[in-house]
Amino acid sequence: MNAIELVFDFFEDHVQAAAVVNQRRPLALGAMGFAIGAVSLYVSHGLSDRLLLPFGWASLGLIVLWELLIGFLLVSVLHLILEMGSARGSAAALFVLLGLANIAWALAVPAVLLLKLVAPDSSWLFTAVFFVLGLLSVSLKARSLQDNYHISSGKAWVTLGLPYMAVLAAVILAASLAMLGLFVQIVKAFN
């Protein structure tokens, strides 16, 4: 089975694709999936005028590198959580499966181009497209956890949500501490 067949099987027959990935562990295909998702998301944000960075090769390279690093970090954290919970699976296979799940973002470019033709001034439609594609990507990642570690759907969703909740909690804690420090400085200024 070649790489293109494996990508199609990931979307059509995910159980067979997960078995093939678990046997062969094509890490380059996983990295390419993360890169395709990052490039598609970058281009679609550029087309919808929502880029935070200037549009160029350097920014694109940074986004692809960032996506690969986040992919490695997410795989390592998820694998650690599931191994601690006595679920057995392969971290390398999970990297490939999450990379394949990231290919769902490739739908963003045609969707944004179509919206630019149909409703160019409707920013909420662009937001809706990115939200729906994000949900699709996350649901494919949860399915990948199920296929790789042979866990239930609920456990896959909870496990996938834990790293995101930890980051959110860290941001809230940092913001709270910064506000507390500012409040202390204001109180000291009045004394």
Side-chain angles (χ1 to χ4, degrees):
M1 175 180 294
N2 63 23
I4 295 174
E5 289 175 345
L6 186 57
V7 170
F8 280 112
D9 275 352
F10 178 76
F11 292 103
E12 292 176 359
D13 186 10
H14 60 93
V15 175
Q16 179 185 355
V20 170
V21 165
N22 206 11
Q23 286 176 340
R24 292 184 15 207
R25 296 186 181 118
L27 294 175
L29 182 62
M32 187 171 291
F34 279 112
I36 288 171
V39 169
S40 298
L41 195 57
Y42 180 75
V43 170
S44 63
H45 272 88
L47 289 171
S48 65
D49 300 324
R50 294 171 178 254
L51 273 180
L52 298 176
L53 299 172
F55 196 78
W57 291 108
S59 298
L60 178 62
L62 284 173
I63 295 294
V64 170
L65 182 63
W66 174 258
E67 188 69 30
L68 284 170
L69 290 175
I70 291 297
F72 279 120
L73 183 63
L74 182 63
V75 166
S76 62
V77 168
L78 291 173
H79 182 72
L80 179 67
I81 291 170
L82 287 166
E83 286 281 323
M84 287 173 34
S86 72
R88 298 291 176 239
S90 166
L94 181 62
F95 178 77
V96 175
L97 292 171
L98 292 185
L100 291 173
N102 225 30
I103 292 177
W105 285 108
L107 296 172
V109 173
V112 165
L113 286 174
L114 183 65
L115 281 177
K116 287 288 251 186
L117 288 174
V118 176
D121 295 331
S122 179
S123 69
W124 69 271
L125 282 175
F126 292 111
T127 303
V129 163
F130 290 123
F131 181 74
V132 167
L133 289 176
L135 283 179
L136 175 64
S137 177
V138 169
S139 68
L140 290 172
K141 287 176 183 177
R143 187 184 76 183
S144 297
L145 282 172
Q146 284 180 269
D147 293 340
N148 190 38
Y149 291 94
H150 307 291
I151 56 176
S152 68
S153 175
K155 188 172 184 177
W157 279 99
V158 168
T159 304
L160 188 59
L162 284 175
Y164 295 108
M165 288 187 290
V167 168
L168 180 64
V171 167
I172 290 172
L173 179 64
S176 299
L177 289 174
M179 290 171 52
L180 180 64
L182 181 64
F183 179 72
V184 167
Q185 290 298 325
I186 291 172
V187 169
K188 283 182 182 179
F190 284 122
N191 287 337

